[in-house]
Amino acid sequence: ATPEPAGAEAGETGNATATPEPAGEVPRPAESSGEASTAVPQLVELVPSDEALREVLLELALRQHHWQPERVAQALRWLVDKGLILTPAHARKAALIHGGLTPLRVLLIEHNVDVRGLELLSDHRQAVKVSTSAGGWVQRCKPALKALLARGAVFGTCSQQLQSRLLRRLEEDGTAFWVGRVLESLRKSQPDLPDPVLQKITDFIGVDSTET
């Protein structure tokens, strides 16, 4: 029998000696720092042509509560420059996710997004979730919600499910603000309209005239 060459063990070929992988280490992909540094610019280049990516970045910006509000607003403006078309649904996201007025101003003031009839709570499950955790949630989002309600948005058909006294009060205040804006617009566009007629409109809507 021919003896095995010294040092020839399983896994060795020729004169090469196998070097064992350090225990517990995960092999890293071969990627140069130059390739990694180009990943973000390439992603940015996709934004103008990728609607889904713009939507993801919008929500990501709205969730940055540690950012200054103006920085969030700047992110929204950047996305608009890249092709994002602002809609009432985005106004709802801005109110429910961020809750501040500064980002919302980009939609309502700078881009005149019409939120009349927008349902802020679109389904029963969402209404129940909000109702059971309304304390901190409403306090954080109150300014934005009030701004939308004052421009004709509503909590929606699920508002009957709201058990929070704070939310109900906010809805009542929002209705009063909205009616006040409508009546003020009527006064400006129809200066000869008699006060009794305006009072009849207020009574028909069902809002206390002292609130408008």
Side-chain angles (χ1 to χ4, degrees):
T2 304
E4 289 288 336
E9 298 177 0
E12 294 184 351
T13 56
N15 295 327
T17 303
T19 303
E21 287 284 343
E25 285 194 10
V26 178
R28 302 175 186 173
E31 180 178 335
S32 68
S33 59
E35 291 174 337
S37 65
T38 60
V40 172
Q42 288 175 352
L43 187 63
V44 171
E45 290 176 2
L46 293 175
V47 176
S49 60
D50 195 323
E51 181 181 356
L53 180 57
R54 293 194 295 270
E55 293 292 334
V56 169
L57 292 176
L58 170 76
E59 285 203 23
L60 183 62
L62 293 174
R63 294 185 187 281
Q64 304 310 305
H65 298 293
H66 60 284
W67 284 5
Q68 290 295 324
E70 182 55 33
R71 186 179 181 187
V72 179
Q74 289 173 356
L76 299 187
R77 295 186 189 103
W78 182 82
L79 287 170
V80 170
D81 290 341
K82 297 301 181 182
L84 178 68
I85 299 176
L86 295 174
T87 67
H90 293 133
R92 177 171 53 219
K93 285 184 178 181
L96 299 181
I97 297 176
H98 187 274
L101 287 175
T102 302
L104 195 60
R105 192 174 291 115
V106 176
L107 292 96
L108 301 180
I109 305 300
E110 297 179 18
H111 292 276
N112 298 312
V113 174
D114 187 356
V115 296
R116 288 175 294 179
L118 172 68
E119 290 194 10
L120 299 177
L121 303 179
S122 55
D123 59 61
H124 169 78
R125 288 174 298 177
Q126 189 179 20
V128 172
K129 181 180 179 181
V130 169
S131 175
T132 55
S133 60
W137 180 87
V138 176
Q139 290 296 345
R140 178 173 61 82
C141 300
K142 185 178 178 180
L145 290 174
K146 186 174 289 189
L148 293 180
L149 292 168
R151 287 165 172 77
V154 295
F155 277 130
T157 55
C158 297
S159 60
Q160 295 85 356
Q161 306 295 330
L162 299 177
Q163 302 299 319
S164 167
R165 184 181 304 174
L166 185 57
L167 276 176
R168 289 199 301 271
R169 179 59 182 172
L170 186 59
E171 186 175 33
E172 293 169 0
D173 290 346
T175 301
F177 291 143
W178 168 238
V179 172
R181 288 170 60 89
V182 171
L183 294 178
E184 184 62 26
S185 178
L186 279 174
R187 292 188 184 101
K188 290 181 178 179
S189 62
Q190 304 291 335
D192 297 330
L193 199 63
D195 287 341
V197 174
L198 292 173
Q199 185 61 49
K200 287 289 186 181
I201 296 174
T202 304
D203 293 341
F204 175 78
I205 297 174
V207 176
D208 189 346
S209 60
T210 60
E211 298 182 20
T212 60

